[in-house]
Amino acid sequence: MRIVFLLSRADEPGEVPRAVLTRAGHLAARHDVEVVSVFRTRDRPHTAPGPGVPLRHLVDRTGPVPVPLRPTALTDRARQQLAAVPSALADPALDPEFDALTDTELALALRTLDTDVLVTASPALLRAAADHAPAGAVRIHESPWAGEGEPPPGTGECDAVVVRTEGARRRLAAALGAAAREPSAVRTAAIPYPAPGGFRPRSSRTARTAVLAGPPARADHAIAAFAAAASSPAGSGWRLRVFGEGPEPPRLRRRVAELGLYERVELLGPSPHMAAEWAKASFAVLPSGSAGVLEAYAAGVPAVAYDEGGGAADVVRDGVDGLLVPPDDVDALADAMARLMAADAELLHRLGANARAGVGRFAPEGVTRAWEELCAELVAARAPARRAAEPGRRRAAGAEHAGVPPR
């Protein structure tokens, strides 16, 4: 099979680019795989694509003026004018950096794709894929949606939607309503992100360090809970290290100052060396989402998290490899952290050992096999439509080589 993964920013750190590029590398052992990134944002991607996986960018955003990464006669002024026009393909609420220049390049790239399967990894790409992807290609959307609010518009128009956990899949099927239960309608599947492969340094869980990694949403909960736990007898000498990026740091720094935690809470921004950072941690704090939980588990680091659908609770097994507390209950979060700070460390080491042993649930081999099976079934079902679309696909490819966007 030929499989193309399409995402907005493959060069950036984060769970989505890492998972897509890792998965593409595993699938490339038996399939023709390409990763297409709408934006080029760095000279070198944070996560390198695996062997045999070409990474193609559409628009270079590393300079002051966006530049299409294909031969074009557009002048700097024309590019600037197009970049000033709002996107007609992407909702600015989903991604405000899309514009008319991006629309042009994305539509052309989609119309000229020669692929059996197109996997979109951002909700901002759903509309473009629906409007411009080849008629015979299977469209799969890998959705970060986990149960809060309504699924992004267009989610139910794909051939299949993949979410990370069975709980999220059930919530998605319910949200999509009867259409998701009809045999001819969108298929929903639960396939987790793969656990990090290769050698991963392990934590001894002897450092008095807790780590929060990922988007800073509700990091203020973690800081407040840490302040309470660290003031207990068990909390002496412990520190909290916060990794990630977003608009929150100034507010978080003020909160750290208010609590007098200058020397015990570190706001460090994103790190390209999280495997090493997890090896220096004793437990993870996950007040929002599940970013970093598999990396933590691969290092043998247990997690404390809120027990809510779509977050770490879909991965963490309470009392087995982590502790779950009621959502938004900062006092309960502090109590759980204090339990893992206990001097005898029996609970900490037991949960950590189980986290490391249980990470095999997310082994790359099983995740790759699940993706292969899903793609093969959908491609087989779409084979007649693909044969009918073949002449148009050949014309589109010829137009691209001639430098003329197909109509």
Side-chain angles (χ1 to χ4, degrees), residues 178-268:
R181 295 190 290 271
E182 295 172 1
S184 61
V186 60
R187 176 171 172 179
T188 57
I191 305 177
Y193 283 171
F199 171 76
R200 309 292 293 189
R202 298 190 189 184
S203 170
S204 65
R205 297 181 293 274
T206 55
R208 296 190 171 193
T209 302
V211 165
L212 186 160
R218 290 197 288 193
D220 55 332
H221 291 210
I223 291 170
F226 175 79
S231 66
S232 69
S236 177
W238 281 81
R239 60 178 178 161
L240 174 66
R241 310 186 79 207
V242 181
F243 296 91
E245 59 185 347
E248 294 289 316
R251 184 173 69 87
L252 297 180
R253 289 191 187 93
R254 290 194 296 271
R255 184 59 174 150
V256 169
E258 291 168 0
L259 294 169
L261 295 172
Y262 284 117
E263 297 181 356
R264 303 188 68 178
V265 175
E266 303 173 58
L267 304 177
L268 299 168

Side-chain angles (χ1 to χ4, degrees), residues 350-406:
R350 176 169 60 81
L351 298 182
N354 289 339
R356 180 68 187 87
V359 80
R361 294 182 292 152
F362 310 98
E365 297 79 9
V367 172
T368 300
R369 185 165 54 252
W371 272 97
E372 285 182 316
E373 292 172 355
L374 175 65
C375 291
E377 291 173 14
L378 293 171
V379 167
R382 286 293 294 274
R386 183 170 175 80
R387 285 194 295 270
E390 191 69 31
R393 291 167 56 235
R394 286 198 295 267
R395 285 196 300 271
E400 179 189 32
H401 294 315
V404 179

